Amino acid sequence: VYVDNTAKAVFARAGESVTPKFNYSGSWMHGYVYIDRDNNGKFDAKMNDDNTIAEGSDVMAYSYYEGKNSTGASVSNQNVLAPPAFTIPADLAEGYYRMRFKVDWDDIDPAGCIDQSNSIIANGGGIIDVMLNVHGDNAYVNDANRNGKVVAAADGADLVKYATPFGQDFKIKMVPENGFEYSGIIVKYGYNLSGDSIVRDNVQWQKVY
């Protein structure tokens, strides 16, 4: 029922509109999307009294819940899986956030319906978590080594908060001091590089040799 796929990431900018896609072998099920937007380790499915999504809720989109989809539009055909497009919250800081996709029947609970007569397990539903990488236009590169330096290959500039377009190839040039040579390089990448590498089971940064 549950798959931890947080080794993979979805990339988006804060304020960007995204369209979720579901692929499910079956019918008469509904799709739901959540983002742990405050990174508190849980999904808060806050809903208003009229069953619209509450301000600050971790519910992002759903195809069907008590007769409506996440845009508030009435849904007459209950056999609809794909939720409408939604906007990544504009107030999200750059970083990693846990994102959840759920296939269930008419239930807003991020953990799935547990009603024995209509449970997510009995209905053949499922939950999968991935990481959402909320990024800006640029990545910022810094060099940390002794007996030489690493510079940007394009212009020879020192790597001190060097801005390069996010998601694009970035070439470096390694310049050892006389009498020294390099045997490799360690790239440390992610967010909050001076903090813990894992926060509430979510990887924040990694090292690659």
Side-chain angles (χ1 to χ4, degrees), residues 30-32 62-69 75 77-78 80 106:
H30 307 131
Y32 303 81
Y62 52 85
S63 63
Y64 186 92
Y65 177 57
E66 297 193 356
K68 296 182 179 181
N69 65 22
V75 180
N77 182 2
Q78 298 180 26
V80 55
D106 193 13

Side-chain angles (χ1 to χ4, degrees), residues 72-89:
S74 297
V75 180
S76 57
N77 182 2
Q78 298 180 26
N79 186 21
V80 55
L81 182 64
F86 68 94
T87 301
I88 301 295

Side-chain angles (χ1 to χ4, degrees), residues 36-44 58 200:
D36 181 11
R37 56 192 295 168
D38 56 3
N39 269 326
N40 66 351
K42 62 180 181 179
F43 296 100
D44 299 307
D58 289 344
R200 293 189 173 90

Side-chain angles (χ1 to χ4, degrees), residues 109-208:
D109 191 327
C113 180
I114 59 173
D115 186 336
Q116 290 186 354
S117 64
N118 196 39
S119 76
I120 187 173
I121 298 174
N123 287 333
I127 295 170
I128 182 169
D129 284 356
V130 300
M131 295 306 295
L132 171 66
N133 184 330
V134 176
H135 62 87
D137 293 334
N138 295 316
Y140 295 91
V141 186
N142 293 283
D143 166 42
N145 83 110
R146 299 175 180 84
N147 302 315
K149 63 180 181 179
V150 179
V151 299
D155 56 11
D158 291 338
L159 301 184
V160 180
K161 294 185 178 179
Y162 186 97
T164 184
F166 184 92
Q168 301 296 316
D169 289 345
F170 176 65
K171 293 184 178 182
I172 60 171
K173 181 179 180 181
M174 304 170 76
V175 188
E177 291 285 0
N178 291 334
F180 292 88
E181 62 182 32
Y182 289 122
S183 61
I185 186 170
I186 295 173
V187 178
K188 182 179 180 181
Y189 68 95
Y191 296 95
N192 192 25
L193 300 183
S194 61
D196 293 337
S197 63
I198 298 177
V199 177
R200 293 189 173 90
D201 292 332
N202 298 331
V203 175
Q204 301 300 302
W205 52 262
Q206 301 179 61
K207 288 183 178 180
V208 175

